[in-house]
Amino acid sequence: MLSEFVIVCLTVFHEGSICDDAEMRAIARTIQVRAKDQGKSYKEVCLAPNQYSCWNGKNKLRILELHTSGKLLQTPAWRRTVKVVREMFDGQLDCMTEWTHYYNPKSANPKWAWAMKDTKQFRYHIFGRIEG
C-alpha cells in the first residue's frame, strides 16, 4: 500500500507535471483544502471517485505501473513535485487562497465551473473555490 505522501505526490505529478511550481502548489492546495473542509485524509481526497482525473479509470493502473517502475523518480518534474508536496505537508501552503477546484479550459468546461469563486488563471488551469 502506498503512503499518503506518495499518493499526494502521484496526484500532483499526474495532474500538473507540465506546470510551474506555483501552479503545482495550487493543485496541492486543492487537496489540502478539500481534506480540511471534508474532514478527510489527503489520501482519501486524492482517491475519491471522479475528483482528480489522474485516478479515473485506466489512468490509475498507468500511474501505479509508472511509480513501481521507478521511472518517475529520475525526472526533474518528480523532484519538483516532492518539494511542493513537502511544503504542503509542512504547512507552507496554508497562506494560499483556499481553492477547492480547478480545470483546464483548453480540455474541458465543466458544468460546476460557473460556481467557482475567487478564481485565478494560471498557465494551464483556472482555480477557484466552490462552497459546500
Side-chain angles (χ1 to χ4, degrees):
M1 195 62 160
L2 299 175
S3 71
E4 183 167 62
F5 186 83
V6 170
I7 292 289
V8 174
C9 284
L10 288 169
T11 305
V12 173
F13 179 85
H14 287 284
E15 293 283 317
S17 62
I18 63 170
C19 301
D20 65 16
D21 290 1
E23 196 163 356
M24 287 177 105
R25 284 184 186 97
I27 292 168
R29 182 66 171 151
T30 67
I31 296 167
Q32 186 182 37
V33 172
R34 287 182 188 190
K36 183 186 79 155
D37 288 355
Q38 298 170 14
K40 294 182 178 179
S41 71
Y42 297 144
K43 185 175 181 176
E44 290 173 311
V45 167
C46 290
L47 299 178
N50 302 312
Q51 296 303 302
Y52 291 91
S53 60
C54 67
W55 293 107
N56 294 343
K58 293 181 182 178
N59 290 340
K60 185 176 186 176
L61 296 174
R62 183 177 165 274
I63 288 172
L64 297 174
E65 286 171 11
L66 275 172
H67 177 67
T68 55
S69 75
K71 292 178 183 177
L72 295 181
L73 305 178
Q74 308 307 316
T75 66
W78 181 257
R79 289 190 288 277
R80 288 186 314 110
T81 300
V82 169
K83 178 181 171 258
V84 165
V85 173
R86 277 195 185 120
E87 291 172 2
M88 185 191 89
F89 272 77
D90 290 344
Q92 294 176 38
L93 306 186
D94 292 356
C95 61
M96 292 179 68
T97 304
E98 292 196 349
W99 295 304
T100 55
H101 291 75
Y102 63 93
Y103 68 97
N104 182 335
K106 290 185 179 178
S107 63
N109 191 12
K111 293 177 185 176
W112 46 260
W114 67 268
M116 291 192 335
K117 306 277 191 256
D118 299 320
T119 59
K120 181 173 181 177
Q121 170 89 46
F122 284 81
R123 183 171 181 191
Y124 296 101
H125 300 95
I126 298 173
F127 288 79
R129 179 168 181 83
I130 296 178
E131 297 295 335

